[in-house]
Amino acid sequence: MTRIIDLFGGAPCLSVELWPPRSEAAEARLAASLDRLDLLRPAFASITYGAAGSTRDRTHDLVVSLQRDHGTTAMAHLACAAHSRAELVDILVRYRDAGIENVLALRGDPPMDATEPLPDGELGHAAALVELVRSVGPFCIAVAAHPAGHPEAAGLVEDRRRLAEKLALADFAITQFFYDVDEYLRLVEDLAALGVTKPVVPGVMPITSVRTLERMAALSGCAVPDALVERITRADGPDEVRRVGVEIAIELCGKLLAEGVPGLHFYTMNQFTSTVEICRALGLAPPEAPTAG
Ligand code: FAD
């Protein structure tokens, strides 16, 4: 039994984000690649949630099986945007009764391919979900943070104020991915100036393809620096793009570790190869075992 907040304060915590598989084939692929995850020995794995409720059971099942059968501390993402209060309580009670102690409380976004807006839920913002999660059980609660500001926010000052209020209720934050270390440092400084010094774990997305980078950046509002776009677009072919993506992430993580971050949270999209390479290069994962012969 591990509350994630108790893991911070020593060596940086390595963590990964996974998606609940959408098909039997994807489930088999994930099961087959979980041994790559073992190479990383992550402090915890977090599992995403489809804000419309589409992954309700799949997120639950993966969280519980990772924790129970795989021995990995698991954190359930939960998005309030499209749910009633009673539905959220049902989901949380099920987690509590299954021995899950860690929840990432989110508002949620419509899926990337959605044509309709999300139906209206009862809680407007993630801070209200944090309060609801607290009322259901002794969960450790994380929240989302956006280093450059949330794309819908009226302004950065207002967004920081809302984030500080939300994080004051929660235990720690994980950021949206970013490629400019100064954006992260400014976020931590701004929160401290607002009196909130809880751990803020930087989110890192290793670039594996130009298309994924463009889609994810558009969805999250992350501005990708021109020099980085140039470096990636100069890469010749998918293997070279992935190699340059690993190189960029190693540089970014190296700078973040030098700043004393509480951890590194990798958006893996269920592909662990790049994350393993990055962590090995940084000395955060055991080196590759020599092959016999
Ligand atoms: P909020 O904290 O509610 O903020 C949303 C906006 O509302 C901000 O602009 C904020 O400034 C504003 N705001 C906050 N409180 C108030 C208030 N009281 N009055 C007026 N305005 C207010 N999405 C998913 O659908 N599923 C996932 O699994 C998922 N995982 C994520 C994991 C991480 C680590 C991160 C960083 C994001 C994740 N997201 C996920 C995306 C997230 O749901 C979106 O970024 C969403 O648009 C905002 O979520 P939030 O929890 O930050 O919302």
Side-chain angles (χ1 to χ4, degrees):
M1 303 291 248
T2 307
R3 284 166 54 83
I4 293 167
I5 187 64
D6 297 332
L7 302 175
F8 299 120
C13 280
L14 189 59
S15 57
V16 292
E17 181 182 286
L18 310 182
W19 287 341
R22 287 199 192 132
S23 63
E24 277 182 24
E27 196 173 328
R29 274 199 303 278
L30 177 62
S33 56
L34 280 183
D35 59 334
R36 310 256 329 133
L37 185 63
D38 291 338
L39 294 173
L40 288 173
R41 299 197 199 120
F44 67 93
S46 79
I47 317 301
T48 63
Y49 187 84
S54 56
T55 70
R56 184 172 169 157
D57 288 331
R58 284 183 286 133
T59 299
H60 176 275
D61 294 349
L62 183 55
V63 166
V64 172
S65 89
L66 272 175
Q67 182 140 316
R68 244 186 223 163
D69 311 330
H70 203 257
T72 302
T73 296
M75 176 165 71
H77 294 206
L78 181 57
C80 63
H83 282 306
S84 67
R85 189 177 281 271
E87 282 168 336
L88 293 164
V89 169
D90 276 355
I91 294 168
L92 288 163
V93 166
R94 210 170 150 213
Y95 279 127
R96 187 192 63 198
D97 294 350
I100 301 304
E101 294 178 292
N102 301 286
V103 173
L104 174 54
L106 300 150
R107 187 198 67 184
D109 275 334
M112 277 192 259
D113 48 3
T115 49
E116 302 278 319
L118 289 171
D120 278 342
E122 242 176 287
L123 309 184
H125 296 285
L129 180 59
V130 175
E131 290 180 309
L132 186 69
V133 178
R134 282 260 181 265
S135 72
V136 172
F139 292 103
C140 165
I141 307 172
V143 290
H146 297 78
H150 186 269
E152 286 164 29
L156 191 58
V157 172
E158 167 75 357
D159 192 51
R160 291 289 204 253
R161 187 175 68 76
R162 297 288 186 193
L163 174 60
E165 284 167 7
K166 176 174 76 168
L167 184 50
L169 300 169
D171 294 300
F172 72 101
I174 302 181
T175 77
Q176 191 53 274
F177 68 88
F178 58 90
Y179 295 100
D180 178 353
V181 176
D182 288 342
E183 271 179 13
Y184 168 83
L185 296 176
R186 271 196 298 273
L187 166 71
V188 174
E189 259 172 46
D190 290 351
L191 288 170
L194 291 164
V196 181
T197 54
K198 292 183 180 173
V200 178
V201 179
V204 177
M205 193 182 80
I207 299 166
T208 51
S209 85
V210 175
R211 190 163 160 264
T212 310
L213 176 65
E214 284 169 355
R215 274 161 62 95
M216 297 300 281
L219 185 75
S220 67
C222 162
V224 184
D226 290 346
L228 193 148
V229 173
E230 215 174 282
R231 243 169 111 180
I232 284 288
T233 42
R234 262 204 319 263
D236 190 12
D239 289 348
E240 185 61 4
V241 168
R242 200 190 66 77
R243 192 192 63 73
V244 174
V246 165
E247 210 174 83
I248 289 168
I250 292 170
E251 290 164 17
L252 178 70
C253 294
K255 288 182 194 161
L256 289 166
L257 290 169
E259 294 290 342
V261 291
L264 294 170
H265 186 72
F266 286 91
Y267 294 102
T268 68
M269 293 188 274
N270 292 11
Q271 308 282 328
F272 304 124
T273 308
S274 293
T275 304
V276 169
E277 283 175 27
I278 295 157
C279 292
R280 279 190 170 144
L282 294 164
L284 298 173
E288 194 164 8
T291 45

